[in-house]
Amino acid sequence: MKPAEQKIDRTTVALLAAALLLVPSAYVNRQLFDDLESPLSENAFLIRKVHAPAAYDMVLGGNSRMMQGMSPVVMNEKLPGRPILNLGMRGASLTPRMYGLIESKLAPGATTPVVLLGIEPGTLQPSTDASLVVELHRSGEKVFLAQHDVTERIARLFASIRPFKVTNKISLWLNGPTKGQPEYHREYHPDGWSATYWEPEDLERDLKPYRAKAGECCDPGEREPLPFKPLLFEQVRKWASEGILVFGVRIPTAPEVRQYEDQRFDFDEAAISQAFEQAGGIWIAVDPEGYHCYDGGHLHKSSAMAFSRNVADAVRTELERRSGN
Amino acid sequence: MLFNSLTFLVFAGLFFLLWPLCRRKSNLRWFYLTAASFLFYGWWDWRFLFLIVGSGLLDYAASLGMVAYPRARGAFMALSLFGNIGSLAIFKYSGFIAENLDQLFSMAGLHTSLQANIPGFMLILPVGISFYTFQSMSYTLDVYRGELKPTRNILHFMAYLSLFPQLVAGPIVRARDFLPQLCSPGTTDERGRWEGMQLIAHGFFKKMVIADNLGPVVDSAFGFPVFSESTVYWWFIITAFAFQIYCDFSGYSDIARGLAKWMGYRFEVNFNHPYNATSLSGFWSRWHISLSTWFRDYVYIPLGGSRVSRMRSHVNMWITMLVSGLWHGASWTFVVWGALHAGFMSLERVIKWPQWCRRIPRVGSWMATGIVIVQVWVAWVFFRADSLSQAVRIVRQMFDFNLDMSFRKAGLLTAAIYLAIGMLREVYCRFREVRELRSRPWLDIPVMVGMILACIFLRGPGEAFIYFQF
């Protein structure tokens, strides 16, 4: 008599069962764990921006505050017909890697190429540029899948589920939407903007550490140095000499965050804006009043749109001044 | 071509579709295996196919030369060693050698810039060069020792050297074990297919679900500019790395063994629950077994092994471990990693602590495993660190007993979940082996389906296998 396991071909049965379960699993994955409101998956969003072609008149560089704070599509309301890309990346600094990437996205034939940099303590201190490095080293296969709408849609069905999404979902089921975990909304747009906000917000919780540390820091002589400052001015000088119009802006944050960063780091906005302009750049001074950050450090979707309009206005004014209109 | 890519899925699908048609006709089988393997390797960069073909041709010709001209055996062996070690020196170690020569000259007051003048192509590390070079060298060494009759058919040799499942990250298979297998058509039955399937699924699970989810936390800890002072943090990070590298590397070996099983061939076990070892020598008989035995057979034993004076035996072991460290990478961190293992093993031989531990009732073997883990973890710091200074700083922190818990916790919970899954999987597999549990289709098939779906929906963000760089 044959042993029991030889009566059925276990490999075929397992593979068939997995194939059959794949479709309902993908459907459940999409319904439960995907950000349905987002035009792109996070994966495709990051790959598309990092592997975008050299086809833009204006490129925005910086970290997550830039990524979440400025919408190129909204900027186009004030700057029509000008292709704009937001290259802001989570945890990124203004490193030679970031500068090189920005340069590589500018269209060779652009009449007035423009670069807009998000400048703040976070972008002027060393970082691993981890997410940028990861995206730069994606395999050709992953880049291909992310860059085409059809393959992106299919790949999105099979997106990996992060554990925190599962715990959030369970908490939502158990406690309901009001008492459950707050939900983090993220929209990944093809222009490189990620619109984000918490629902409900808990600004008190997010600002607590900043308030607690506000008194700790620091005498001017003890502030943490920002080693990438000289590199910034050197790069602005280089770009300006090549005919690239370079704007700098400090993206608004909550007053507590701003105060904490000013005290802790060697970041004197007046001195930096002055040095920036001396290097050939144009500093866009922003009044942070009136903008809302959902977690203290990142602009809420609606504020990001308003901020994008205002910055685009300032850029347009400068472009018009230069062209003599 | 990576195992965990859609390209490989298509490649493997086509390969196994045509395999039953090709395997029965001898010449067709050899050609099919070689062509498929070259396609697999060339997908990464076709230009480096010339290197593997060149290296293979040299060893193929040298082996035939040894048989045709027995008096010149030594010269042919030297030629083969020169070619193989030379290609490793050019593609893997040239930067390291130049950098150290520059520093040496600078100490002597001479300012050279050898490193800056290395041609660009020498700085690209061909994937898997250390693996296939060692495999090729083992062939000529076996022929030289008279333990293997060389094959006259170049396709036979190339199929053995470049067989795609193990080409880029092992296991390093010996010609005397594997060439006879390749001579058969390689048939499989239901049991063979199922065992292959289990190996492949476990391999992918270890790589994609465990290793790739642990990777980002480890990378972030080693790459973050602000150094954490917490002892708890660093022990967690190094534990995560220990499981990342184990799951990454043993995952690849499992996939390779499973694919070979589907073809009807057999690769030896390459990892056998290494973190369960109760001595460091036991660890090395369970970790990367194909490489450990390679070094044992072609370095340690020819140096005299243990059949010499006690002192000389220690020296032999140190030489073997230092070379093994350097095999892993062209950096002093890898040399120190090898030296640490050698040092720990010397200590083990002298004071025989595992035997003392085993005498302690009930907890003795647990204690021994704990001591092995501490030693292996400390050595892993050097293996992973970007520099010696970083490694020293981390090790110091690991034994500083700073119980501060105010470290960056981003991603740590996720890592802890996957670490726990990895450990549980390991314990479960060990339990099944020890109890010799029989296959139960009603349980095994759902577990298999669950693992396949987990590989798809719980996969981590990583891509390449760590050992590709060696």
Side-chain angles (χ1 to χ4, degrees), chain B residues 323-346:
Chain B
V323 175
S324 164
L326 209 52
W327 177 90
H328 282 87
S331 161
W332 286 112
T333 50
F334 291 110
V335 177
V336 173
W337 172 76
L340 274 173
H341 273 280
F344 291 145
M345 280 203 280
S346 280

Side-chain angles (χ1 to χ4, degrees), chain B residues 278 414 453:
Chain B
T278 51
T414 305
L453 294 177

Side-chain angles (χ1 to χ4, degrees), chain B residues 211-223:
Chain B
D212 286 353
N213 276 304
L214 293 175
V217 170
V218 175
D219 292 346
S220 156
F222 278 87

Side-chain angles (χ1 to χ4, degrees), chain A residues 233-302:
Chain A
F233 304 132
E234 197 181 306
Q235 187 64 43
V236 172
R237 208 167 287 121
K238 177 181 169 280
W239 275 339
S241 71
E242 290 168 1
I244 297 172
L245 211 53
V246 193
F247 290 90
V249 68
R250 186 178 189 183
I251 296 172
T253 54
E256 289 87 343
V257 175
R258 194 181 177 89
Q259 189 190 356
Y260 167 73
E261 290 183 346
D262 284 349
Q263 285 178 343
R264 184 178 161 192
F265 298 100
D266 179 23
F267 190 88
D268 177 349
E269 190 176 331
I272 285 177
S273 63
Q274 196 181 358
F276 190 85
E277 298 206 324
Q278 276 170 359
I282 301 139
W283 188 265
I284 301 174
V286 175
D287 179 4
E289 275 296 309
Y291 296 109
H292 175 60
C293 290
Y294 62 85
D295 62 353
H298 298 91
L299 287 173
H300 186 280
K301 181 183 174 182
S302 55

